[in-house]
Amino acid sequence: MSSLLALEDTFLAGLNNVERRKYVQKIKIVKHLYVKGAKTNADICGRFQISAPTSTAMLNELIAEGLVEKQGRGKSIGGRKPELYGLKDKSLFVLSIHMEKYKARLAIFDNNNSPVTGMQTFPIEVTQDLQAVDQVHEQAMRLIEVSGIDPQKLIGVGINMPGLVASKEGNNHTYLRVPGGAESLQQLLEHKFGKPVYIQNDVKSATLAEYRFGLAHGRRDVLVLSMDWGVGLGMILDGKLRSGASGFAGEFGHIPLVEDGRLCHCGKRGCLETVASGSALVRNAQEGIRAGENTLLQALSEPEIEQLEVEQVIRAAHDGDQFAINILAEVGLNLGKGIAILIQLFNPELIILGGEIAQAKPFVLPAIQQAITIYCMKQLRENTRIVVSELGRDAMILGSVATVMENVFETPLDLT
Amino acid sequence: MSSLLALEDTFLAGLNNVERRKYVQKIKIVKHLYVKGAKTNADICGRFQISAPTSTAMLNELIAEGLVEKQGRGKSIGGRKPELYGLKDKSLFVLSIHMEKYKARLAIFDNNNSPVTGMQTFPIEVTQDLQAVDQVHEQAMRLIEVSGIDPQKLIGVGINMPGLVASKEGNNHTYLRVPGGAESLQQLLEHKFGKPVYIQNDVKSATLAEYRFGLAHGRRDVLVLSMDWGVGLGMILDGKLRSGASGFAGEFGHIPLVEDGRLCHCGKRGCLETVASGSALVRNAQEGIRAGENTLLQALSEPEIEQLEVEQVIRAAHDGDQFAINILAEVGLNLGKGIAILIQLFNPELIILGGEIAQAKPFVLPAIQQAITIYCMKQLRENTRIVVSELGRDAMILGSVATVMENVFETPLDLT
DNA sequence: AAGCACTTTTCTAAAATTTTAACAAAAGAT
DNA sequence: ATCTTTTGTTAAAATTTTAGAAAAGTGCTT
C-alpha cells in the first residue's frame, strides 16, 4: 500500500494491531503537520511520546510516500539546527463546495490550504429535491478535469449547505432530501464522486475555518455567529466543533426571544430571527420607508423597496443615515440579548461575528456590548471578547476544506 | 514505586517514555475497569490495541499492586471461559463532600462506589470567607479516623459547592474566596488534607453522577437541570462534562427570559430564576395566599407563610390543591420555555430534571412539554427526551466521588 | 576573533520490550 | 464423542527504545 490515505473500510480491517497502530500514528503525524505546519523530529517525538529513531523512520516512510518533505532547518535553541518536516505542496487535493440557496461556489485546494484553481460561481436553487446536487456534481467534475490535478490525489470533497445537516448520518433534514429508505445524501454523493464526501451545515463549516485559520485559532471555547438573511451559530467547545446528538445544535436563530412576537418563517412566534437578522433589518427598513421616515432610502421606488437588500441598509448607515443607524442598533440590541444567553450558557472566551453583519460593525457592536452589560453576569461577561471575523466570506469555502481534512485525518479509534 | 497512583508532579517527570507510556496505559485500564466494571483480557486487548501477553503482564502488575483481582470467569461465546479482571473492593477510597449553603454532608466511598461510612450531616454557613472550610476539614479528618481506612489508600477528596466554581483554576468565584495572590482554594485544601482535592460546582458534579451512574449513562449529549431554590445546569457534550473557558458555563438560571421582569438577586432583571425556580414558586405561593386565593395553604399563619418551603407547595399540589397545581404549572411553563432554548442550542438526546422539582413531576412535566412544543423546532424537539432523575439526592454526593475518579484517572497527555 | 564548554540533533548498534506464532487447555456445538 | 472455537501460556521473531558517539550549533571567555 503506497498511499497513506487508503480510506477504504476494507483496508483497516486487513491490518493487524501493529500495522494499524503505525497507520494511526502516521495519520496523526500528518494531521499534526497539517494543523501546526512544519515541525521538527524532536517536536513529534515529544508530542506523541515516541523515540527519535521510530519517529524518523515514520517520517522517512511519509517522505517515500510523497506526502512529507524536508523543508530546510529550524532555529537552533543552543545546539545543532533541526531538520524541519512539512507537508509537501500539492501532494493532496480537496474539492471544496459551498452551496447557498441560490448559488454555489467551488474551488480546489491543496493540502496546505492554497487554492489551485480559481473560484467558480454559478446559480443553483437549493430545494427539497436533488436537482441542485446534479448541477453541482457536473460543474465539479468539469473543474477537476480543467484543473489538471491527478484525480488519485484528490482525497475528498467537502460540501457546505444551508439547513439542518446531520453530518454523521449524512443527510440534510431541510433541503436535498433523498428518497426514504435509500442511501444517505452523503453516500449518494460518494458514489457520484467516487471519493469520500463530507457534508456540513454552512455556519458550522465556517466555524471550523475560524478555528483553523481565523481568530479562533489556538482557542478552546469559541462561538461563531453568522448573520445574513437568518442567524446561525457554530460552537467550538473544548477545542472541537460540537454538533449535538443529531447534528442540529446551534439553532440560535429560532430560540424564543420575544413574548407573543412576530410569526417566523419557521412557523413559531417571536424567534430571535424575527428581531435580529438580515431579514428583520430589511423588514424594519421597509416598514420605516413606507411609514415615511426621514431616510436616504426614501429615494427608492416601490419595486426597489420590495427588493431591498441588507447591504443597502448598511451602506446608508455608513453614509450617515440616522434611520438606518437606528434600526441597525435595534437589531444589535436584540442580537446582544441573544448573545447574552449564549455567554451565560457556554462561557466562551471569544465570540466571532461573521456574515453580512460584519460590514455593520460600528453600528451593531456597541449595541451588542450594551445588551451584554445588561443581561450578563459580570464574571461571565468579563471573560468574553467579541470580535468581527477577519476571514469574512472566505470562511465558508475554507471551512469545507477544513471539514474534509478534519474527517480524513480522523483516527478510527476514539476511546473515552 | 508500588502504588499506581503516585500522583506527584515529580513522579511523572522522573519517568522515561516507556515507563510513562506504561503508567498511562495502566491508568487507562484501571479507569476502564472503574467505568465499565470487570472485563476480560480480550476486551482490554481490543480496546487498547495491545497484544494478549502485554495486557496480561499489566493486569498481573495491577494485581500485584493490590488494585485489581480476578473475579471469576465470564460467559463463553463458543470456547473457553475467559477470566474476569475487576477492581478489588476497598483498595482505594475517596472522601466525598457536598457543601450546601447551610449544611454539609460527607461520606467515604471505595473504588466501586460503595459507601464505607455512613453519611455525616452537619450545619455550616457558606459565605465569602473560609470559615466553613475549616469546619468541613475538621469533620472530614474525624470521619477518616473513625472509618478506620488506611489513609494511604485515600486517593483524593471531592468537594461540591454552590457558586461559580473554576475547577481548573481551583477557586470559587462566589463563595469561599481565598485572600488575593495566595494559593488557590484547591491548593489550600490540598495542603490541609495532604491529598489531591477537586472542587466542583454542585450541579456539574450531579451531572457527572448522572453520566456515570444515572439515566445519562452511555449517552453522549445530555443536559442535567437541577431546580431547588435556584436553577442550575450541567452539560455532557460529546461524552464529557463541559464547563466553558473559565468553568462557569451553565448559568441557566440567569439568562434573560422576561422583558422588564422582576429584579433577580443577581442584580439583573427578568432572569429565568425570577419565574422558574423554587424561590419563584414560593414567592408566587406567598403572594397568592396573601391575596386570599382559595388554597390549603391559607391554613398557615403569617410567620409560617414567611418561612414557606418549596416542598410544602408541592405537597399541597399532591393533596389536590388547585392553586398549588396552577402555580407549579406556571413555573413549568416558564422552565419549559428556557428548556426550549437549551434544546435549540445544544440538541441533547436527553434532559434530566433533578432537585426538588423532581417531586412535582406530574404537575410540571406536562407544562414543560407544552412549552417545548410551542417554542422548539420539530426536528429538535422530536430527538429529545425529558426525564426525572432516578438518583435524586444521591446525585450530589456520588458526583463528587465521580469527580475525583475522573481527575485521578485522567491521563497526563491530551492530544487534540 | 578564536577557542572552549555546553547543547541539541542525528545516526547506529546493543538492549529491552512487544508481538506473533504455536500449542495446550477449556468449553460449546454438532 | 468429535470437532470447532476461544483462552492462556510460552518461545521465537519483530519492533522500539536506550545509550553512545559524531556532527553541528550557540554562547561565553579571553
Side-chain angles (χ1 to χ4, degrees), chain B residues 29 32-45 47-48 55 59 68-72 74 82-87:
Chain B
I29 291 174
H32 182 56
L33 297 180
Y34 168 70
V35 172
K36 306 274 179 178
K39 287 284 168 188
T40 67
N41 190 33
D43 173 89
I44 290 165
C45 296
R47 165 159 285 262
F48 299 109
S55 172
L59 284 167
V68 168
E69 65 182 358
K70 293 186 179 177
Q71 298 180 336
E83 202 85 54
L84 282 175
Y85 296 86
L87 291 193

PDB file of all heavy atoms in Angstrom, chain B residues 29 32-45 47-48 55 59 68-72 74 82-87, chain D residues 8:
ATOM      1  N   ILE B  29      -6.382   1.422  31.915  1.00  0.00           N
ATOM      2  CA  ILE B  29      -7.033   0.142  32.199  1.00  0.00           C
ATOM      3  C   ILE B  29      -7.847   0.251  33.487  1.00  0.00           C
ATOM      4  O   ILE B  29      -9.001  -0.165  33.543  1.00  0.00           O
ATOM      5  CB  ILE B  29      -5.978  -0.991  32.311  1.00  0.00           C
ATOM      6  CG1 ILE B  29      -5.363  -1.262  30.934  1.00  0.00           C
ATOM      7  CG2 ILE B  29      -6.614  -2.265  32.867  1.00  0.00           C
ATOM      8  CD1 ILE B  29      -4.218  -2.254  30.950  1.00  0.00           C
ATOM      9  N   HIS B  32     -10.896   2.183  32.868  1.00  0.00           N
ATOM     10  CA  HIS B  32     -11.815   1.350  32.088  1.00  0.00           C
ATOM     11  C   HIS B  32     -12.562   0.385  33.006  1.00  0.00           C
ATOM     12  O   HIS B  32     -13.790   0.255  32.926  1.00  0.00           O
ATOM     13  CB  HIS B  32     -10.997   0.593  31.040  1.00  0.00           C
ATOM     14  CG  HIS B  32     -11.806  -0.269  30.131  1.00  0.00           C
ATOM     15  ND1 HIS B  32     -12.848   0.211  29.373  1.00  0.00           N
ATOM     16  CD2 HIS B  32     -11.719  -1.591  29.836  1.00  0.00           C
ATOM     17  CE1 HIS B  32     -13.358  -0.772  28.663  1.00  0.00           C
ATOM     18  NE2 HIS B  32     -12.697  -1.876  28.924  1.00  0.00           N
ATOM     19  N   LEU B  33     -11.839  -0.264  33.892  1.00  0.00           N
ATOM     20  CA  LEU B  33     -12.459  -1.216  34.818  1.00  0.00           C
ATOM     21  C   LEU B  33     -13.390  -0.483  35.793  1.00  0.00           C
ATOM     22  O   LEU B  33     -14.439  -0.994  36.175  1.00  0.00           O
ATOM     23  CB  LEU B  33     -11.396  -1.996  35.586  1.00  0.00           C
ATOM     24  CG  LEU B  33     -10.478  -2.893  34.739  1.00  0.00           C
ATOM     25  CD1 LEU B  33      -9.468  -3.610  35.625  1.00  0.00           C
ATOM     26  CD2 LEU B  33     -11.277  -3.902  33.925  1.00  0.00           C
ATOM     27  N   TYR B  34     -12.998   0.727  36.162  1.00  0.00           N
ATOM     28  CA  TYR B  34     -13.838   1.510  37.068  1.00  0.00           C
ATOM     29  C   TYR B  34     -15.149   1.880  36.386  1.00  0.00           C
ATOM     30  O   TYR B  34     -16.236   1.722  36.946  1.00  0.00           O
ATOM     31  CB  TYR B  34     -13.096   2.779  37.510  1.00  0.00           C
ATOM     32  CG  TYR B  34     -13.989   3.781  38.211  1.00  0.00           C
ATOM     33  CD1 TYR B  34     -14.488   3.507  39.487  1.00  0.00           C
ATOM     34  CD2 TYR B  34     -14.345   4.974  37.606  1.00  0.00           C
ATOM     35  CE1 TYR B  34     -15.323   4.408  40.128  1.00  0.00           C
ATOM     36  CE2 TYR B  34     -15.175   5.875  38.241  1.00  0.00           C
ATOM     37  CZ  TYR B  34     -15.669   5.588  39.502  1.00  0.00           C
ATOM     38  OH  TYR B  34     -16.498   6.477  40.133  1.00  0.00           O
ATOM     39  N   VAL B  35     -15.040   2.360  35.149  1.00  0.00           N
ATOM     40  CA  VAL B  35     -16.235   2.851  34.451  1.00  0.00           C
ATOM     41  C   VAL B  35     -17.120   1.702  33.972  1.00  0.00           C
ATOM     42  O   VAL B  35     -18.343   1.761  34.091  1.00  0.00           O
ATOM     43  CB  VAL B  35     -15.827   3.749  33.259  1.00  0.00           C
ATOM     44  CG1 VAL B  35     -17.037   4.102  32.405  1.00  0.00           C
ATOM     45  CG2 VAL B  35     -15.151   5.005  33.759  1.00  0.00           C
ATOM     46  N   LYS B  36     -16.489   0.657  33.446  1.00  0.00           N
ATOM     47  CA  LYS B  36     -17.275  -0.402  32.804  1.00  0.00           C
ATOM     48  C   LYS B  36     -17.458  -1.641  33.661  1.00  0.00           C
ATOM     49  O   LYS B  36     -18.160  -2.569  33.258  1.00  0.00           O
ATOM     50  CB  LYS B  36     -16.600  -0.805  31.487  1.00  0.00           C
ATOM     51  CG  LYS B  36     -16.323   0.336  30.532  1.00  0.00           C
ATOM     52  CD  LYS B  36     -17.527   0.635  29.662  1.00  0.00           C
ATOM     53  CE  LYS B  36     -17.204   1.799  28.733  1.00  0.00           C
ATOM     54  NZ  LYS B  36     -18.308   2.106  27.828  1.00  0.00           N
ATOM     55  N   GLY B  37     -16.770  -1.714  34.792  1.00  0.00           N
ATOM     56  CA  GLY B  37     -16.851  -2.925  35.609  1.00  0.00           C
ATOM     57  C   GLY B  37     -15.859  -3.982  35.120  1.00  0.00           C
ATOM     58  O   GLY B  37     -15.054  -3.713  34.225  1.00  0.00           O
ATOM     59  N   ALA B  38     -15.926  -5.164  35.702  1.00  0.00           N
ATOM     60  CA  ALA B  38     -14.969  -6.235  35.386  1.00  0.00           C
ATOM     61  C   ALA B  38     -14.993  -6.578  33.898  1.00  0.00           C
ATOM     62  O   ALA B  38     -16.054  -6.623  33.285  1.00  0.00           O
ATOM     63  CB  ALA B  38     -15.277  -7.470  36.215  1.00  0.00           C
ATOM     64  N   LYS B  39     -13.823  -6.796  33.339  1.00  0.00           N
ATOM     65  CA  LYS B  39     -13.702  -7.082  31.907  1.00  0.00           C
ATOM     66  C   LYS B  39     -12.701  -8.218  31.677  1.00  0.00           C
ATOM     67  O   LYS B  39     -11.885  -8.535  32.540  1.00  0.00           O
ATOM     68  CB  LYS B  39     -13.198  -5.829  31.165  1.00  0.00           C
ATOM     69  CG  LYS B  39     -14.234  -4.737  31.046  1.00  0.00           C
ATOM     70  CD  LYS B  39     -15.253  -5.073  29.984  1.00  0.00           C
ATOM     71  CE  LYS B  39     -16.455  -4.139  30.047  1.00  0.00           C
ATOM     72  NZ  LYS B  39     -17.520  -4.592  29.151  1.00  0.00           N
ATOM     73  N   THR B  40     -12.742  -8.794  30.496  1.00  0.00           N
ATOM     74  CA  THR B  40     -11.808  -9.877  30.154  1.00  0.00           C
ATOM     75  C   THR B  40     -10.530  -9.308  29.559  1.00  0.00           C
ATOM     76  O   THR B  40     -10.493  -8.161  29.116  1.00  0.00           O
ATOM     77  CB  THR B  40     -12.424 -10.806  29.096  1.00  0.00           C
ATOM     78  OG1 THR B  40     -12.563 -10.080  27.868  1.00  0.00           O
ATOM     79  CG2 THR B  40     -13.798 -11.303  29.526  1.00  0.00           C
ATOM     80  N   ASN B  41      -9.533 -10.159  29.544  1.00  0.00           N
ATOM     81  CA  ASN B  41      -8.263  -9.777  28.937  1.00  0.00           C
ATOM     82  C   ASN B  41      -8.467  -9.416  27.459  1.00  0.00           C
ATOM     83  O   ASN B  41      -7.925  -8.422  26.977  1.00  0.00           O
ATOM     84  CB  ASN B  41      -7.285 -10.956  29.071  1.00  0.00           C
ATOM     85  CG  ASN B  41      -5.871 -10.562  28.684  1.00  0.00           C
ATOM     86  OD1 ASN B  41      -5.470  -9.421  28.902  1.00  0.00           O
ATOM     87  ND2 ASN B  41      -5.157 -11.482  28.097  1.00  0.00           N
ATOM     88  N   ALA B  42      -9.260 -10.213  26.775  1.00  0.00           N
ATOM     89  CA  ALA B  42      -9.503  -9.972  25.349  1.00  0.00           C
ATOM     90  C   ALA B  42     -10.128  -8.597  25.120  1.00  0.00           C
ATOM     91  O   ALA B  42      -9.764  -7.884  24.177  1.00  0.00           O
ATOM     92  CB  ALA B  42     -10.418 -11.056  24.791  1.00  0.00           C
ATOM     93  N   ASP B  43     -11.040  -8.214  25.997  1.00  0.00           N
ATOM     94  CA  ASP B  43     -11.686  -6.906  25.878  1.00  0.00           C
ATOM     95  C   ASP B  43     -10.650  -5.786  25.960  1.00  0.00           C
ATOM     96  O   ASP B  43     -10.676  -4.842  25.181  1.00  0.00           O
ATOM     97  CB  ASP B  43     -12.726  -6.746  26.986  1.00  0.00           C
ATOM     98  CG  ASP B  43     -13.300  -5.343  27.026  1.00  0.00           C
ATOM     99  OD1 ASP B  43     -14.301  -5.101  26.326  1.00  0.00           O
ATOM    100  OD2 ASP B  43     -12.730  -4.480  27.730  1.00  0.00           O
ATOM    101  N   ILE B  44      -9.737  -5.935  26.913  1.00  0.00           N
ATOM    102  CA  ILE B  44      -8.717  -4.905  27.109  1.00  0.00           C
ATOM    103  C   ILE B  44      -7.757  -4.863  25.914  1.00  0.00           C
ATOM    104  O   ILE B  44      -7.373  -3.793  25.457  1.00  0.00           O
ATOM    105  CB  ILE B  44      -7.978  -5.145  28.444  1.00  0.00           C
ATOM    106  CG1 ILE B  44      -8.957  -4.844  29.587  1.00  0.00           C
ATOM    107  CG2 ILE B  44      -6.741  -4.282  28.555  1.00  0.00           C
ATOM    108  CD1 ILE B  44      -8.524  -5.371  30.929  1.00  0.00           C
ATOM    109  N   CYS B  45      -7.399  -6.026  25.412  1.00  0.00           N
ATOM    110  CA  CYS B  45      -6.549  -6.086  24.215  1.00  0.00           C
ATOM    111  C   CYS B  45      -7.195  -5.330  23.069  1.00  0.00           C
ATOM    112  O   CYS B  45      -6.569  -4.507  22.418  1.00  0.00           O
ATOM    113  CB  CYS B  45      -6.333  -7.528  23.765  1.00  0.00           C
ATOM    114  SG  CYS B  45      -5.447  -8.526  24.933  1.00  0.00           S
ATOM    115  N   ARG B  47      -9.685  -3.095  23.097  1.00  0.00           N
ATOM    116  CA  ARG B  47      -9.939  -1.684  23.334  1.00  0.00           C
ATOM    117  C   ARG B  47      -8.681  -0.824  23.241  1.00  0.00           C
ATOM    118  O   ARG B  47      -8.709   0.293  22.743  1.00  0.00           O
ATOM    119  CB  ARG B  47     -10.588  -1.515  24.704  1.00  0.00           C
ATOM    120  CG  ARG B  47     -10.590  -0.097  25.243  1.00  0.00           C
ATOM    121  CD  ARG B  47     -11.638   0.066  26.282  1.00  0.00           C
ATOM    122  NE  ARG B  47     -12.943   0.123  25.665  1.00  0.00           N
ATOM    123  CZ  ARG B  47     -13.581   1.273  25.407  1.00  0.00           C
ATOM    124  NH1 ARG B  47     -13.039   2.417  25.717  1.00  0.00           N
ATOM    125  NH2 ARG B  47     -14.764   1.258  24.846  1.00  0.00           N
ATOM    126  N   PHE B  48      -7.569  -1.365  23.749  1.00  0.00           N
ATOM    127  CA  PHE B  48      -6.356  -0.541  23.767  1.00  0.00           C
ATOM    128  C   PHE B  48      -5.341  -0.943  22.707  1.00  0.00           C
ATOM    129  O   PHE B  48      -4.220  -0.434  22.690  1.00  0.00           O
ATOM    130  CB  PHE B  48      -5.728  -0.568  25.165  1.00  0.00           C
ATOM    131  CG  PHE B  48      -6.632  -0.010  26.219  1.00  0.00           C
ATOM    132  CD1 PHE B  48      -7.223  -0.838  27.157  1.00  0.00           C
ATOM    133  CD2 PHE B  48      -6.909   1.350  26.262  1.00  0.00           C
ATOM    134  CE1 PHE B  48      -8.078  -0.319  28.131  1.00  0.00           C
ATOM    135  CE2 PHE B  48      -7.754   1.867  27.229  1.00  0.00           C
ATOM    136  CZ  PHE B  48      -8.338   1.034  28.167  1.00  0.00           C
ATOM    137  N   SER B  55      -0.978  -7.252  27.741  1.00  0.00           N
ATOM    138  CA  SER B  55      -2.140  -6.961  28.558  1.00  0.00           C
ATOM    139  C   SER B  55      -2.131  -7.796  29.837  1.00  0.00           C
ATOM    140  O   SER B  55      -2.337  -7.277  30.935  1.00  0.00           O
ATOM    141  CB  SER B  55      -3.398  -7.236  27.724  1.00  0.00           C
ATOM    142  OG  SER B  55      -4.540  -7.148  28.528  1.00  0.00           O
ATOM    143  N   LEU B  59      -1.997  -6.476  33.717  1.00  0.00           N
ATOM    144  CA  LEU B  59      -3.019  -6.874  34.689  1.00  0.00           C
ATOM    145  C   LEU B  59      -2.367  -7.560  35.885  1.00  0.00           C
ATOM    146  O   LEU B  59      -2.749  -7.320  37.033  1.00  0.00           O
ATOM    147  CB  LEU B  59      -4.051  -7.790  34.027  1.00  0.00           C
ATOM    148  CG  LEU B  59      -5.047  -7.056  33.123  1.00  0.00           C
ATOM    149  CD1 LEU B  59      -5.836  -8.037  32.268  1.00  0.00           C
ATOM    150  CD2 LEU B  59      -5.998  -6.186  33.937  1.00  0.00           C
ATOM    151  N   VAL B  68      -6.260  -4.679  41.434  1.00  0.00           N
ATOM    152  CA  VAL B  68      -7.128  -5.491  40.579  1.00  0.00           C
ATOM    153  C   VAL B  68      -7.146  -6.909  41.120  1.00  0.00           C
ATOM    154  O   VAL B  68      -6.206  -7.340  41.798  1.00  0.00           O
ATOM    155  CB  VAL B  68      -6.592  -5.451  39.124  1.00  0.00           C
ATOM    156  CG1 VAL B  68      -7.266  -6.491  38.245  1.00  0.00           C
ATOM    157  CG2 VAL B  68      -6.766  -4.065  38.533  1.00  0.00           C
ATOM    158  N   GLU B  69      -8.231  -7.619  40.873  1.00  0.00           N
ATOM    159  CA  GLU B  69      -8.284  -9.031  41.231  1.00  0.00           C
ATOM    160  C   GLU B  69      -9.056  -9.792  40.160  1.00  0.00           C
ATOM    161  O   GLU B  69      -9.825  -9.206  39.406  1.00  0.00           O
ATOM    162  CB  GLU B  69      -8.961  -9.213  42.598  1.00  0.00           C
ATOM    163  CG  GLU B  69     -10.416  -8.792  42.585  1.00  0.00           C
ATOM    164  CD  GLU B  69     -11.102  -8.920  43.947  1.00  0.00           C
ATOM    165  OE1 GLU B  69     -10.464  -9.380  44.897  1.00  0.00           O
ATOM    166  OE2 GLU B  69     -12.292  -8.547  44.015  1.00  0.00           O
ATOM    167  N   LYS B  70      -8.792 -11.102  40.111  1.00  0.00           N
ATOM    168  CA  LYS B  70      -9.574 -11.945  39.212  1.00  0.00           C
ATOM    169  C   LYS B  70     -10.935 -12.152  39.864  1.00  0.00           C
ATOM    170  O   LYS B  70     -11.011 -12.470  41.044  1.00  0.00           O
ATOM    171  CB  LYS B  70      -8.880 -13.286  38.986  1.00  0.00           C
ATOM    172  CG  LYS B  70      -7.570 -13.149  38.224  1.00  0.00           C
ATOM    173  CD  LYS B  70      -6.975 -14.505  37.892  1.00  0.00           C
ATOM    174  CE  LYS B  70      -5.679 -14.318  37.118  1.00  0.00           C
ATOM    175  NZ  LYS B  70      -4.996 -15.602  36.824  1.00  0.00           N
ATOM    176  N   GLN B  71     -11.984 -11.943  39.100  1.00  0.00           N
ATOM    177  CA  GLN B  71     -13.329 -12.065  39.672  1.00  0.00           C
ATOM    178  C   GLN B  71     -14.115 -13.120  38.932  1.00  0.00           C
ATOM    179  O   GLN B  71     -15.106 -12.826  38.259  1.00  0.00           O
ATOM    180  CB  GLN B  71     -14.026 -10.700  39.634  1.00  0.00           C
ATOM    181  CG  GLN B  71     -13.286  -9.662  40.471  1.00  0.00           C
ATOM    182  CD  GLN B  71     -13.943  -8.296  40.470  1.00  0.00           C
ATOM    183  OE1 GLN B  71     -14.672  -7.949  39.550  1.00  0.00           O
ATOM    184  NE2 GLN B  71     -13.675  -7.519  41.514  1.00  0.00           N
ATOM    185  N   GLY B  72     -13.650 -14.371  39.021  1.00  0.00           N
ATOM    186  CA  GLY B  72     -14.359 -15.485  38.392  1.00  0.00           C
ATOM    187  C   GLY B  72     -14.206 -15.484  36.884  1.00  0.00           C
ATOM    188  O   GLY B  72     -13.312 -14.825  36.341  1.00  0.00           O
ATOM    189  N   GLY B  74     -16.024 -15.242  32.938  1.00  0.00           N
ATOM    190  CA  GLY B  74     -17.137 -14.690  32.178  1.00  0.00           C
ATOM    191  C   GLY B  74     -17.822 -15.744  31.331  1.00  0.00           C
ATOM    192  O   GLY B  74     -17.466 -16.919  31.357  1.00  0.00           O
ATOM    193  N   PRO B  82     -13.514 -16.980  29.692  1.00  0.00           N
ATOM    194  CA  PRO B  82     -12.449 -16.020  29.989  1.00  0.00           C
ATOM    195  C   PRO B  82     -12.416 -15.621  31.464  1.00  0.00           C
ATOM    196  O   PRO B  82     -13.446 -15.560  32.137  1.00  0.00           O
ATOM    197  CB  PRO B  82     -12.820 -14.818  29.127  1.00  0.00           C
ATOM    198  CG  PRO B  82     -14.310 -14.876  29.046  1.00  0.00           C
ATOM    199  CD  PRO B  82     -14.684 -16.339  29.078  1.00  0.00           C
ATOM    200  N   GLU B  83     -11.217 -15.347  31.924  1.00  0.00           N
ATOM    201  CA  GLU B  83     -11.003 -14.810  33.271  1.00  0.00           C
ATOM    202  C   GLU B  83     -11.524 -13.367  33.304  1.00  0.00           C
ATOM    203  O   GLU B  83     -11.307 -12.615  32.362  1.00  0.00           O
ATOM    204  CB  GLU B  83      -9.506 -14.805  33.549  1.00  0.00           C
ATOM    205  CG  GLU B  83      -9.123 -14.787  35.007  1.00  0.00           C
ATOM    206  CD  GLU B  83      -9.106 -16.201  35.586  1.00  0.00           C
ATOM    207  OE1 GLU B  83      -8.428 -17.086  35.030  1.00  0.00           O
ATOM    208  OE2 GLU B  83      -9.789 -16.381  36.618  1.00  0.00           O
ATOM    209  N   LEU B  84     -12.231 -12.999  34.376  1.00  0.00           N
ATOM    210  CA  LEU B  84     -12.684 -11.615  34.517  1.00  0.00           C
ATOM    211  C   LEU B  84     -11.768 -10.848  35.463  1.00  0.00           C
ATOM    212  O   LEU B  84     -11.455 -11.331  36.560  1.00  0.00           O
ATOM    213  CB  LEU B  84     -14.115 -11.566  35.056  1.00  0.00           C
ATOM    214  CG  LEU B  84     -15.235 -11.862  34.064  1.00  0.00           C
ATOM    215  CD1 LEU B  84     -16.570 -11.884  34.779  1.00  0.00           C
ATOM    216  CD2 LEU B  84     -15.243 -10.834  32.944  1.00  0.00           C
ATOM    217  N   TYR B  85     -11.331  -9.679  35.040  1.00  0.00           N
ATOM    218  CA  TYR B  85     -10.492  -8.823  35.880  1.00  0.00           C
ATOM    219  C   TYR B  85     -11.303  -7.617  36.312  1.00  0.00           C
ATOM    220  O   TYR B  85     -11.893  -6.924  35.470  1.00  0.00           O
ATOM    221  CB  TYR B  85      -9.266  -8.365  35.103  1.00  0.00           C
ATOM    222  CG  TYR B  85      -8.335  -9.488  34.705  1.00  0.00           C
ATOM    223  CD1 TYR B  85      -8.540 -10.206  33.537  1.00  0.00           C
ATOM    224  CD2 TYR B  85      -7.259  -9.836  35.516  1.00  0.00           C
ATOM    225  CE1 TYR B  85      -7.699 -11.233  33.162  1.00  0.00           C
ATOM    226  CE2 TYR B  85      -6.408 -10.867  35.158  1.00  0.00           C
ATOM    227  CZ  TYR B  85      -6.623 -11.570  33.982  1.00  0.00           C
ATOM    228  OH  TYR B  85      -5.777 -12.584  33.635  1.00  0.00           O
ATOM    229  N   GLY B  86     -11.330  -7.352  37.608  1.00  0.00           N
ATOM    230  CA  GLY B  86     -12.088  -6.199  38.101  1.00  0.00           C
ATOM    231  C   GLY B  86     -11.342  -5.484  39.213  1.00  0.00           C
ATOM    232  O   GLY B  86     -10.362  -6.014  39.756  1.00  0.00           O
ATOM    233  N   LEU B  87     -11.781  -4.294  39.534  1.00  0.00           N
ATOM    234  CA  LEU B  87     -11.152  -3.555  40.634  1.00  0.00           C
ATOM    235  C   LEU B  87     -11.502  -4.236  41.954  1.00  0.00           C
ATOM    236  O   LEU B  87     -12.654  -4.589  42.199  1.00  0.00           O
ATOM    237  CB  LEU B  87     -11.641  -2.112  40.661  1.00  0.00           C
ATOM    238  CG  LEU B  87     -11.199  -1.219  39.516  1.00  0.00           C
ATOM    239  CD1 LEU B  87     -11.505   0.236  39.851  1.00  0.00           C
ATOM    240  CD2 LEU B  87      -9.721  -1.370  39.217  1.00  0.00           C
TER     241      LEU B  87
ATOM    242  P    DG D   8      -8.329 -16.156  29.709  1.00  0.00           P
ATOM    243  OP1  DG D   8      -8.927 -16.236  31.055  1.00  0.00           O
ATOM    244  OP2  DG D   8      -8.145 -14.852  29.051  1.00  0.00           O
ATOM    245  O5'  DG D   8      -6.924 -16.906  29.746  1.00  0.00           O
ATOM    246  C5'  DG D   8      -6.865 -18.214  30.292  1.00  0.00           C
ATOM    247  C4'  DG D   8      -5.459 -18.752  30.138  1.00  0.00           C
ATOM    248  O4'  DG D   8      -5.237 -19.082  28.740  1.00  0.00           O
ATOM    249  C3'  DG D   8      -4.347 -17.770  30.531  1.00  0.00           C
ATOM    250  O3'  DG D   8      -3.373 -18.509  31.255  1.00  0.00           O
ATOM    251  C2'  DG D   8      -3.806 -17.291  29.186  1.00  0.00           C
ATOM    252  C1'  DG D   8      -3.998 -18.527  28.328  1.00  0.00           C
ATOM    253  N9   DG D   8      -4.101 -18.317  26.888  1.00  0.00           N
ATOM    254  C8   DG D   8      -4.773 -17.326  26.211  1.00  0.00           C
ATOM    255  N7   DG D   8      -4.678 -17.443  24.906  1.00  0.00           N
ATOM    256  C5   DG D   8      -3.903 -18.569  24.707  1.00  0.00           C
ATOM    257  C6   DG D   8      -3.458 -19.183  23.506  1.00  0.00           C
ATOM    258  O6   DG D   8      -3.675 -18.843  22.347  1.00  0.00           O
ATOM    259  N1   DG D   8      -2.684 -20.312  23.771  1.00  0.00           N
ATOM    260  C2   DG D   8      -2.382 -20.794  25.025  1.00  0.00           C
ATOM    261  N2   DG D   8      -1.636 -21.881  25.078  1.00  0.00           N
ATOM    262  N3   DG D   8      -2.789 -20.221  26.150  1.00  0.00           N
ATOM    263  C4   DG D   8      -3.544 -19.120  25.920  1.00  0.00           C
TER     264       DG D   8
END
